[in-house]
Amino acid sequence: MLPRPAAAGLALLLALAPAAAAAQTLRGLAIGIDAYAELPDLAGAVADARDIAQALRGAGATDLTVLVNAAATRARLVREWQALVARAQPGDTLVLSYAGHGGQEPARRPGTERDGKDEVLLLGGFRSTGPGTRERIPDDELNRWFAAAGGRGLRVVFVADACHSGTLTRSVDPRAPRTAVRMAQYTIDEDMLVLDVPDEAARLRETDLPHVSFLAAGQEHEQVPEVVLPDAGGAPRPRGALSYMVARAIEGQADLDGDGVLRRAELWRFVRENVRMVSGSRQMPNLLPAGRGAEPVLQLGPDARPVTPPPGGKLRLAVLDAGDGAADGLRARLPGVAIVPAAQLPDLVWDAKARQLVTGLGDVAAHGVDAAALPAAVGKWQAVRRIRALSARDALALRVLPHDGVHRRGSRLTVEVSGMRARRLVLIGLSGDGTVHYLYPRPSESVQLEGGGPFRLLLELRATAPFGADHVVAVSADGPLDALDAALARLDGSRAARQAARLLASARAGASGWQSGIQGLFTAP
C-alpha cells in the first residue's frame, strides 16, 4: 500500500451561485448501436439508449424517439433530428444521446481542427468502401445541427458515449473477461459521404455554442471500455458508464438541492465522479462548457427521487488453475460471492497458480493471493462496492496525481480530495490484500478544517508493497466523526476492509452533510 508523509496542504475553493430554472418541454432522440456490419460489435449500447429514453420519459418527455441497430441509419437519424427541431418551441430542451463506436479521420476542411482530425459517430451500416461510407456523422455536421437549434432558441444536451482515438489508461490483463472498446480504426476508400457544411460550422468550438451541454465519455487521449453494471433488476450487464450515469442523474440522483431542476454543476459533478468510480479510473468524462454551473440543464419529473440502483447481487469470482473441486471448497469461505465461469462477466478472477487476483476491468488487484489470503482480498472488493454505493449521490472528488496509470515501486504521488463542504474529514486506504491503512488525520493534525468550504486536501503518498489495486477512501460530514475516526484507526494494519465499509455505512446512517468518495490507484514492482 502507500504510507504517507505527515504534511498535507489545504486550499479554499469557490462555490457556485444558484439560478432560477426556465419552463421547458423536454424532447429526445436516443441512439444505440451494438450490431455493426464491418466493425466489432458492442454489447451495451442498445441498453444505454433505452435506459436514457426511460429516464427521459420519467422526466416528462413525451416527444421521444429511440433508434437502435439497423434502424439507426444516417438518413433516418438526420430526418428524425430535423423533425424534432422543427416541432420544438423556443425554450425547449432537446436531448441527443449516442452510444456506439466513434472514429477519427483527416479533417475534411484543413485548418478547421486543432489536431487536423474530424471526430465521427459510426452507424451500424458503416463500411470502409462503397455506399456504406455514408453511414457516419462527422462533428462538423453535428455543430451545424446544434447551431441551427440555438438559432431557434432551443437548448441541447448531447451525450456521446463513444471515443474517437487515444489509448487505454492501463493495459488489460488477458485473464480478465474481454470488454469492448467504443472506438474503431478504419481507412475509407472512395468516400461517398457528401456534406454541405459551411466553413463557419466547421470552425465552431464549444464556446460558440453556449446553449449546448456536451458530455463525452472520455478525454481525447482515452479509450472508453464497456463496463459491467447492474440493470434495473440487479443483473450484471455490459454498459457505457457515461450513459448509465446520465440516466441515473435524470432520474433524480444528481439533484442535490432537491429543487427538481438538474443544473449543470450538479450534472457535471455526479457524472464525472461516478463514471470514474465504476470505470476504475479508466475514463474521465469530457464535460463542456466549463463554468456556468448554476445554469439549468433540464427540469426533472414530478416523481424524480434519488433511488440508488441495486448493487448487482453477489460479487462474481472466476477461478483459474485451482484444481478439481476447488470452487466447492471456496464457496463456504467466501460469503456473498458467486463462483462463476470466466465467460460470465466475473468481477474478479483468481489465478490460483500465479497467486494473483485480477479485476474484471483487467487490473492486477493483488499479488501473492493463495487460498488462505483470498477471503480478505475478495472482501476488499466487497467493501469497494459498498463504499461506491454510499458515495454515489454526493461523491467527493478524488484524484491520483500525476496520472491514473500504474505507479512503480518508490514513486511519489499525490491524492487530491476536493469538494468537501463540511470541515470534518477522515481518509483511509485499502490495499489489494484487504489491509486497512489509516491516513488522515494524524494526532498532530487538526480534525477540523479552517475557513468555509468547499475545501481541497493534498496528501502525499509513496508506492510500496503490497502492490496491486489500492483504494483511497475519503469521508466528510457536518457533525463530529470522532467515533468513526477512532474505530478506523483501530483497524490500521489489519486485513479488515469489509469491517471498515460496515463502519462507514453505520456512520452515514446517523450523519448530516455526509460526503464520501473512493479512488483506485494502481501500483506494481
Side-chain angles (χ1 to χ4, degrees):
M1 180 53 193
L2 303 160
R4 60 177 296 275
L10 298 175
L12 189 64
L13 303 180
L14 297 176
L16 295 167
Q24 63 166 15
T25 295
L26 182 60
R27 308 172 190 269
L29 174 58
I31 303 151
I33 303 170
D34 286 333
Y36 280 85
E38 187 174 279
L39 306 176
D41 287 345
L42 298 172
V46 169
D48 287 345
R50 290 173 174 159
D51 192 15
I52 286 183
Q54 182 63 30
L56 289 172
R57 291 187 188 98
T62 55
D63 187 353
L64 186 62
T65 301
V66 181
L67 299 178
V68 301
N69 288 334
T73 64
R74 174 183 167 79
R76 177 82 183 276
L77 198 161
V78 171
R79 184 168 66 249
E80 294 290 356
W81 174 258
Q82 291 176 343
L84 189 69
V85 172
R87 291 192 298 270
Q89 300 299 314
D92 287 357
T93 297
L94 310 185
V95 177
L96 173 63
S97 73
Y98 171 86
H101 278 305
Q104 195 175 57
E105 55 195 56
R108 287 174 171 263
R109 298 173 184 268
T112 60
E113 300 286 351
R114 286 187 290 264
D115 60 358
K117 301 287 182 65
D118 283 336
E119 279 69 44
V120 180
L121 305 181
L122 299 167
L123 307 179
F126 171 79
R127 294 181 183 275
S128 58
T129 188
T133 58
R134 299 190 186 102
E135 295 300 311
R136 65 198 209 275
I137 309 291
D139 55 356
D140 292 350
E141 187 173 18
L142 291 169
N143 286 345
R144 182 180 61 172
W145 291 6
F146 299 155
R152 299 200 58 215
L154 308 175
R155 288 196 297 247
V156 176
V157 180
F158 178 39
V159 182
D161 205 339
C163 57
H164 304 284
S165 64
T167 59
L168 291 169
T169 303
R170 301 180 302 277
S171 62
V172 175
D173 192 288
R175 292 167 292 186
R178 294 178 65 86
T179 56
V181 175
R182 294 187 173 182
M183 182 194 80
Q185 295 180 330
Y186 57 92
T187 301
I188 293 178
D189 297 322
E190 299 181 11
D191 191 353
M192 299 182 69
L193 176 60
V194 179
L195 293 179
D196 181 19
V197 178
D199 285 344
E200 56 269 24
R203 290 188 171 87
L204 286 173
R205 297 290 181 264
E206 59 271 9
T207 53
D208 301 316
L209 301 168
H211 60 290
V212 179
S213 296
F214 173 56
L215 301 92
Q219 302 297 307
E220 290 186 0
H221 63 276
E222 295 174 334
Q223 289 186 15
V224 172
E226 292 192 323
V227 300
V228 178
L229 293 166
D231 65 12
R237 298 282 185 263
R239 291 291 305 274
L242 176 67
S243 296
Y244 187 91
M245 291 307 169
V246 168
R248 306 291 78 77
I250 296 171
E251 288 173 345
Q253 282 199 55
D255 183 20
L256 288 180
D257 58 11
D259 66 351
V261 178
L262 186 58
R263 302 182 188 279
R264 189 172 280 165
E266 292 175 320
L267 178 60
W268 271 201
R269 178 176 177 176
F270 178 86
V271 166
R272 181 178 58 243
E273 303 313 323
N274 279 280
V275 166
R276 283 181 62 78
M277 282 196 291
V278 302
S279 70
S281 307
R282 285 184 176 271
Q283 60 187 101
M284 167 71 90
N286 195 16
L287 310 172
L288 298 170
R292 301 176 59 179
E295 186 169 310
V297 176
L298 55 85
Q299 185 85 31
L300 300 178
D303 298 324
R305 61 191 188 280
V307 178
T308 301
K314 291 184 175 182
L315 189 143
R316 302 175 305 282
L317 174 70
V319 177
L320 302 179
D321 295 330
D324 295 339
D328 293 335
L330 289 174
R331 286 187 175 91
R333 302 176 56 234
L334 298 173
V337 174
I339 309 295
V340 301
Q344 290 187 9
L345 300 177
D347 300 297
L348 297 168
V349 178
W350 179 46
D351 186 334
K353 185 176 181 180
R355 299 198 308 158
Q356 291 182 332
L357 195 65
V358 179
T359 72
L361 286 170
D363 291 301
V364 177
H367 301 267
V369 181
D370 56 16
L374 185 62
V378 170
K380 177 265 178 77
W381 289 93
Q382 292 173 311
V384 167
R385 177 186 282 191
R386 190 170 190 177
I387 295 167
R388 284 173 178 166
L390 293 174
S391 307
R393 183 153 191 252
D394 191 6
L396 292 171
L398 278 76
R399 300 286 180 270
V400 175
L401 307 174
H403 56 74
D404 287 323
V406 176
H407 303 275
R408 300 296 172 178
R409 182 197 300 270
S411 298
R412 297 179 69 89
L413 53 146
T414 301
V415 174
E416 178 186 74
V417 188
S418 60
M420 298 97 71
R421 295 187 299 274
R423 299 184 180 186
R424 305 280 178 164
L425 181 67
V426 175
L427 274 80
I428 62 171
L430 304 177
S431 284
D433 65 356
T435 302
V436 178
H437 300 266
Y438 180 82
L439 299 177
Y440 179 89
R442 292 296 185 180
S444 62
E445 296 166 331
S446 174
V447 178
Q448 180 165 312
L449 308 180
E450 299 298 327
F455 300 92
R456 177 169 167 260
L457 176 101
L458 299 177
L459 196 69
E460 290 188 355
L461 305 173
R462 186 181 292 273
T464 64
F467 299 104
D470 303 321
H471 285 78
V472 175
V473 180
V475 173
S476 180
D478 289 332
L481 292 173
D482 297 348
L484 175 64
D485 180 53
L488 291 172
R490 286 193 292 271
L491 297 181
D492 188 33
S494 62
R495 294 188 179 185
R498 275 182 296 197
Q499 186 176 346
R502 287 194 295 270
L503 289 171
L504 295 177
S506 177
R508 185 185 188 278
S512 63
W514 176 278
Q515 292 176 278
S516 59
I518 183 168
Q519 167 73 49
L521 55 92
F522 305 87
T523 61

